[in-house]
Amino acid sequence: IALSENAISSLDEKLKKAHSDKSFCIQKGKEAKDKLAQIEELGIEGECPVCTQTLGDHYDHVSDSLNAEIAHLRTEYKKYDVEEKNTEDESNTCKKVLAGQRRTKDDLLKKQSKAQEAAAGLVRSQESIEYYSQQITKIKGEIAACRNIFYDENEHNEIKLQYEKLLTVKT
């Protein structure tokens, strides 16, 4: 089964043609039956509705010809009926499969979109990790540089007191 909008359109066209051919067979069959009924009603001694001559020896020929035409139209009708049913089944199957494929495609597109969002989030997280790793390295360097500095809290407090005394002297 070819699965596309064109294939379904083609099947729909084929379905319309089979339906049209069936209708044509029905119409022609009805016309042939009406003619046969008219000929049978007229009988062998009746007058031909077309040429107005007595049917006579032509009665059997005309009757057989119309019966053959009716039989042929019945055969054609059955053929078109089967074709119409098969085409309709094929079209319905194609439509169901195509609808399923569309749903699958939509699901896959949604999953792809979520995967792309996740990938973008991963890239942002990796960039943040890299930035903070660099910050940690920088801070560790600063801490290492500060290890050589000696800090005496008592000396600091003493200098602070002297500074405050000097401020009071100034005023």
Side-chain angles (χ1 to χ4, degrees), residues 46-160:
E47 207 176 79
C48 174
V50 177
C51 65
T52 67
Q53 294 182 2
T54 303
L55 288 170
D57 294 336
H58 293 289
Y59 175 83
D60 288 332
H61 173 71
V62 171
S63 178
D64 291 344
S65 175
L66 288 170
N67 279 320
E69 183 180 352
I70 291 169
H72 173 72
L73 288 168
R74 279 189 183 127
T75 302
E76 289 291 303
Y77 175 86
K78 288 176 186 175
K79 178 181 88 172
Y80 293 131
D81 189 49
V82 167
E83 184 178 330
E84 180 182 43
K85 287 176 184 170
N86 290 341
T87 303
E88 189 171 15
D89 290 346
E90 186 178 355
S91 177
N92 289 336
T93 300
C94 275
K95 287 174 184 175
K96 287 178 186 175
V97 170
L98 192 59
Q101 288 179 340
R102 282 189 187 122
R103 283 190 300 275
T104 300
K105 178 184 173 188
D106 290 343
D107 290 344
L108 290 173
L109 287 173
K110 287 176 187 174
K111 287 177 183 177
Q112 180 185 25
S113 176
K114 287 181 181 179
Q116 288 171 338
E117 288 173 17
L122 177 63
V123 167
R124 286 190 300 275
S125 295
Q126 288 172 334
E127 288 171 351
S128 293
I129 289 170
E130 179 64 27
Y131 170 77
Y132 289 117
S133 293
Q134 289 172 357
Q135 292 301 312
I136 289 171
T137 303
K138 180 181 172 187
I139 291 170
K140 283 182 180 179
E142 289 174 1
I143 290 172
C146 291
R147 284 191 183 150
N148 297 332
I149 298 174
F150 175 74
Y151 175 72
D152 183 357
E153 188 176 349
N154 290 332
E155 187 179 338
H156 178 243
N157 285 335
E158 200 175 300
I159 293 172
K160 204 166 134 183

